[in-house]
Amino acid sequence: MSGVAPDVEVLVVMVNMPDPESAQRIATAIVEQRLAACANVMAPCRSVYRWRGEVETADETPVFFKTTRAAYPALEAAVRAAHPYELPQIVALPVAAG
């Protein structure tokens, strides 16, 4: 990524939020705390998932965070502390190029 030292591993972290308001609130807090350089609050989507043995559906708002592997543990902890779900989806993917 432009402007990032070559030895810094960049991640995109995907988190689904229950609604646009919580997505905006948590995205803003993460960027303000400098745990991510950027957060993209996406359009709401319909999620289908298994929870406690049942197939569920819910409207959710995805957020994509751009961060580093070094900052990831603190970002994950901050998301878990602020997220209203008992078990939030937090998926980190390495950026191969960009």
Side-chain angles (χ1 to χ4, degrees), residues 1 6 9-11 14 22 24 27 41 43 46 48 50 54 57 64-65 68-71 73 79 88 90 92 94 96:
M1 295 186 106
E9 186 176 1
V10 176
L11 303 176
M14 302 179 302
S22 62
Q24 183 65 48
V41 178
R46 174 63 54 112
V48 179
R50 185 171 294 280
E54 300 293 325
T57 61
F64 294 175
F65 295 99
T68 63
R69 180 161 304 277
V79 168
I90 305 172

Side-chain angles (χ1 to χ4, degrees), residues 5-95:
D7 60 337
V8 172
E9 186 176 1
V10 176
L11 303 176
V12 172
V13 180
M14 302 179 302
V15 180
N16 280 353
M17 307 290 180
D19 53 65
E21 295 77 22
S22 62
Q24 183 65 48
R25 178 178 49 77
I26 293 171
T28 299
I30 295 295
V31 174
E32 284 178 345
Q33 295 172 54
R34 297 183 181 271
L35 300 176
C38 175
N40 301 111
V41 178
M42 310 302 286
C45 67
R46 174 63 54 112
S47 295
V48 179
Y49 54 94
R50 185 171 294 280
W51 179 247
R52 296 188 172 154
E54 300 293 325
V55 175
E56 304 281 343
T57 61
D59 291 332
E60 296 184 298
T61 302
V63 179
F64 294 175
F65 295 99
K66 281 65 159 216
T67 193
T68 63
R69 180 161 304 277
Y72 176 79
L75 184 150
E76 180 183 351
V79 168
R80 287 185 185 280
H83 204 292
Y85 288 172
E86 179 182 338
L87 185 61
Q89 171 218 288
I90 305 172
V91 176
L93 302 172
V95 174

